[in-house]
Amino acid sequence: MCSHLIHVSRYIGQASSEEKVLPEIKELLEDEEGEVVTEAIVQFQKHIASVFSDELVQAQDALDIFQKFCDLTLEHDMCMIDLAILLKKLGKIIVSMNRPTEPGILQRIGKLV
Amino acid sequence: MLLKGNWLKNQSEYMQILTGEAFLILLKCEQVLLTERVLIQIKIEAIRMLQQWSADILEIWTEVYTMALSEIVKLNRKQPVAELESLFLECKQTVQKMSDRNQTIKVRLKAASLVGQLAKYDSLGDPERFKSFFLQKL
């Protein structure tokens, strides 16, 4: 359902996307369905790679979302395919965030591994 | 033949999907320049197909609709916006109808997909119009 959010965000631009779409992605993270949560993570990765501003990607808010993703990945009883997708996307998110020494990220990666 | 009367409406689901795929190829083919009249006919058929419940039909025809609308808007870019208002209103109503609570989950999912495709193909010709139509609640 949310797989088209990236088209909407690219169309309406960075500022509107951060204002209107980011809250939607956060809300999707709260969904009961693992499939929706997985798609939310995929969408977040696409957004930080090509839509959201560097300031937002580097901000504490983005870090909090990332940490939540990691926690959800640990909590959800996912099939191997979902888990593989998530790990791949989390890797890309880490690259986009470019915070190699951030203890919060390192701790979460440690837990996941 | 494909666009005459109720021909498409009376066909099987399989034929309706195949016809949608054929139109999609035409719309994506840069070597073929469809006239406005043909594009409008395709759009009319697409609106009809979007009233169906089959996910496969909706999948293909949402893209046909958004691409046809986009081409019509591009052809009329120099015309006053007022002349295209009825097209935009029809588009908004189509999304609203497909998103209605009374619709099945499948149809409502495709309504979300339709909004994404409208953005992807710039079918309304203006991001601000798109925002005012569909992003008020977001």
Side-chain angles (χ1 to χ4, degrees):
Chain A
M1 187 173 186
C2 48
S3 60
H4 288 273
L5 280 177
I6 189 68
H7 297 310
V8 172
S9 290
R10 283 180 183 146
Y11 190 56
I12 63 177
Q14 173 223 313
S16 295
S17 173
E18 288 176 5
E19 182 198 341
K20 311 249 184 197
V21 180
L22 181 59
E24 289 293 312
I25 294 176
K26 287 182 188 172
E27 200 179 313
L28 290 167
L29 274 180
E30 309 289 339
D31 202 279
E32 294 169 348
E33 298 287 332
E35 199 182 337
V36 176
V37 176
T38 305
E39 187 58 38
I41 297 174
V42 171
Q43 287 298 312
F44 183 72
Q45 185 273 318
K46 286 182 178 176
H47 278 74
I48 64 168
S50 65
V51 179
F52 293 157
S53 63
D54 289 345
E55 290 76 27
L56 191 143
V57 176
Q58 297 277 323
Q60 183 62 37
D61 198 23
L63 183 62
D64 292 343
I65 296 170
F66 170 80
Q67 290 177 338
K68 191 166 186 179
F69 285 159
C70 293
D71 293 342
L72 287 166
T73 305
L74 283 171
E75 286 164 16
H76 271 78
D77 188 16
M78 287 165 168
C79 69
M80 288 307 283
I81 295 171
D82 276 351
L83 192 59
I85 291 169
L86 285 178
L87 290 174
K88 191 175 156 190
K89 291 298 173 186
L90 287 175
K92 287 186 175 178
I93 291 170
I94 291 166
V95 171
S96 293
M97 291 175 88
N98 193 20
R99 292 170 75 154
T101 55
E102 172 62 47
I105 291 180
L106 295 175
Q107 282 167 11
R108 290 306 201 285
I109 294 169
K111 272 190 191 177
L112 275 172
V113 173
Chain B
M1 184 185 90
L2 298 179
L3 294 168
K4 276 190 178 168
N6 287 330
W7 182 83
L8 187 58
K9 196 180 165 188
N10 297 328
Q11 296 303 309
S12 65
E13 180 176 332
Y14 176 68
M15 277 304 288
Q16 289 173 343
I17 291 168
L18 275 187
T19 310
E21 285 172 349
F23 284 144
L24 209 49
I25 291 167
L26 278 177
L27 287 162
K28 286 182 176 174
C29 179
E30 287 175 8
Q31 283 86 3
V32 179
L33 287 176
L34 298 173
T35 63
E36 188 178 355
R37 193 168 145 262
V38 171
L39 287 166
I40 288 173
Q41 283 297 314
I42 293 175
K43 183 209 50 106
I44 290 168
E45 287 300 340
I47 294 273
R48 274 190 207 160
M49 290 296 114
L50 292 181
Q51 290 165 15
Q52 307 225 26
W53 289 355
S54 156
D56 291 337
I57 289 178
L58 293 174
E59 172 86 22
I60 196 87
W61 283 93
T62 48
E63 198 169 2
V64 172
Y65 172 66
T66 50
M67 285 202 78
L69 183 60
S70 171
E71 291 301 316
I72 295 167
V73 170
K74 270 184 210 159
L75 285 175
N76 289 283
R77 192 143 271 178
K78 288 178 183 168
Q79 302 294 325
V81 176
E83 291 191 17
L84 294 170
E85 279 305 328
S86 62
L87 281 180
F88 298 145
L89 192 62
E90 179 186 53
C91 174
K92 189 179 179 181
Q93 286 168 345
T94 302
V95 173
Q96 283 172 340
K97 200 172 170 184
M98 288 174 72
S99 317
D100 194 273
R101 283 182 186 277
N102 296 327
Q103 293 283 9
T104 63
I105 291 286
K106 273 186 200 171
V107 175
R108 290 167 69 186
L109 283 173
K110 290 301 170 193
S113 163
L114 174 57
V115 172
Q117 304 257 12
L118 288 166
K120 185 179 175 185
Y121 293 115
D122 184 24
S123 304
L124 298 179
D126 179 10
E128 290 305 316
R129 185 178 298 113
F130 177 87
K131 278 196 264 183
S132 73
F133 275 17
F134 304 120
L135 297 188
Q136 296 299 332
K137 278 195 283 182
L138 265 183

